[in-house]
Amino acid sequence: MSSVTLDHVHKRFGTAKGVEDVHIHIESGEFFTFLGPSGCGKTTTLRMIAGFYYPSEGNIRFGSQDVTDLPPHKRNTGMVFQNYALFPHMTVFENIAFGLQVRKVSKTEAKERVERIMGLVRLEGYGERRIDQLSGGQQQRVALARALVIEPQILLLDEPLSNLDAKLREETRFEIKRLQLELGITTIYVTHDQAEAMSMSDRIMVMQGGVVQQIGTPHDIYHAPVNRFVASFIGETNLWTGTVVAVEGDEVQVRTSSGQLLCGLRKNASPLSRIAVGESVLMSIRPESIQESLVSEGENVVTGTVEMAEFTGACVNYVAQVGSEPLRSMSINLGRPIKQRGASIGMHIPKESIYFAE
Ligand SMILES: Nc1ncnc2c1ncn2[C@@H]1O[C@H](COP(=O)(O)OP(=O)(O)O)[C@@H](O)[C@H]1O
Ligand SMILES: [Mg+2]
């Protein structure tokens, strides 16, 4: 197990920028995820940690050891590639044992270790199968076993679930998390899927265009996104603009096109310095924090017209046009009648559920 530090790391490909100034410290035993859309620099950053790319600038440390210039085989990282990169003509056993052969581990020890790992990833009895005789999910587990059998200090996973269908993806998500907790191994996980990132990670680094946008726990990133990109990339949200008209203690009055909203300020989450009378602000309000109001007036009650009503059984989702802004809400079904398109609806926006972004 080892911590991983990227100290102001940059990577340029000729004139094209790969990633810019990534500065992170990943704790020993942490499950840390790089999250962002395709092309944002996740794989590039991961490959620098594995040693397949060298940084154009900056340093990489495992614990206190500077590994910036070490080749991959001297880093003791286990990597699962997006396409698995298994040897199709070799058996499951041979694929998993490969890294041990390269490291000159004796045959008896290799056999013992491969069998132990096959048990851990639930592949018992599959040793003699060829890779092309396996399902996608089984291939994924072979790739995982091959990375783990060398007992790496750090496990690196590049979109390991992207080739699986939705149901298997969910199951395998829990499998990977279970293994990581059981082994306590420092794990760096790459994905473009926010649900995957939210459900598995201790912390997430959100990237866009080669630039780190935010680093935080799933809770922080979801509830206190630092900008418009993060707010809309992580789940659904309502982004409303407004102008600050009063600041009183830890409460802020904001004028919006749909009326005045009272917002609570959180000491750590809000960019306090920018909240001042006359400033324009961007607010993020998650749909699940908004409730249909049975009264049409009151503090933080806005009224609008239903544009879309969706009944999923467990939930009732509305999109309402409120002033010039659409407002999405998502509530647990309490058995109330569902408002139809065109009906007038009151929505209550609790003041503690309004987060300032940007
Ligand atoms: N070997 C390479 N040569 C040139 N450009 C590259 C290379 N690898 C990645 N890039 C560029 O770096 C950026 C980040 O790519 P990548 O890290 O693969 O993104 P992601 O994994 O987030 O989809 C992209 O613009 C990509 O085109
Ligand atoms: Mg990638």
Side-chain angles (χ1 to χ4, degrees), residues 77-253:
T77 58
M79 177 125 168
V80 174
F81 295 89
Q82 189 164 5
N83 57 6
Y84 310 148
L86 297 171
F87 305 114
H89 56 284
M90 290 182 1
T91 65
V92 168
F93 185 95
E94 289 164 344
N95 265 277
I96 300 175
F98 184 78
L100 297 177
Q101 269 172 16
V102 174
R103 285 169 176 76
K104 306 264 185 287
V105 172
S106 78
K107 275 221 163 83
T108 350
E109 191 191 333
K111 187 161 187 290
E112 205 180 284
R113 281 169 67 173
V114 171
E115 274 166 7
R116 195 171 62 233
I117 287 288
M118 281 175 48
L120 202 63
V121 302
R122 308 202 167 145
L123 275 174
E124 295 105 332
Y126 283 90
E128 295 313 311
R129 293 271 191 108
R130 282 207 330 262
I131 297 302
D132 54 12
Q133 297 171 316
L134 299 179
S135 70
Q138 290 165 338
Q139 291 186 19
Q140 203 278 333
R141 281 183 276 154
V142 175
L144 196 58
R146 191 177 60 174
L148 287 172
V149 78
I150 60 165
E151 293 171 7
Q153 295 186 71
I154 300 154
L155 178 62
L156 306 173
L157 303 159
D158 194 354
E159 312 229 15
L161 309 184
S162 59
N163 295 334
L164 307 180
D165 62 47
K167 185 162 182 296
L168 198 54
R169 247 196 332 259
E170 214 158 285
E171 283 170 24
T172 314
R173 193 156 103 185
F174 289 111
E175 276 295 287
I176 291 179
K177 187 66 196 172
R178 175 185 67 84
L179 272 177
Q180 190 262 340
L181 290 172
E182 226 167 278
L183 302 171
I185 189 170
T186 312
T187 300
I188 307 177
Y189 189 92
V190 163
T191 183
H192 64 270
D193 180 323
Q194 56 98 12
E196 238 169 80
M198 296 287 289
S199 63
M200 298 172 85
S201 316
D202 294 315
R203 282 190 304 157
I204 299 171
M205 172 166 92
V206 184
M207 305 176 78
Q208 188 201 17
V211 179
V212 176
Q213 305 292 309
Q214 186 168 5
I215 299 172
T217 63
H219 188 277
D220 288 345
I221 288 194
Y222 188 78
H223 286 295
V226 295
N227 59 33
R228 189 181 277 270
F229 173 78
V230 176
S232 49
F233 193 74
I234 312 289
E236 263 193 76
T237 196
N238 295 286
L239 289 172
W240 277 23
T241 51
T243 308
V244 176
V245 291
V247 182
E248 295 142 10
D250 56 3
E251 291 185 337
V252 183
Q253 292 280 352

Side-chain angles (χ1 to χ4, degrees), residues 13 16-18 37-44 53:
F13 298 101
K17 84 171 180 203
S38 176
C40 72
K42 306 180 296 292
T43 296
T44 301
Y53 287 161

Side-chain angles (χ1 to χ4, degrees), residues 344-357:
S344 161
I345 193 166
M347 294 287 196
H348 178 237
I349 305 176
K351 71 168 188 177
E352 63 279 4
S353 68
I354 304 173
Y355 285 79
F356 292 105

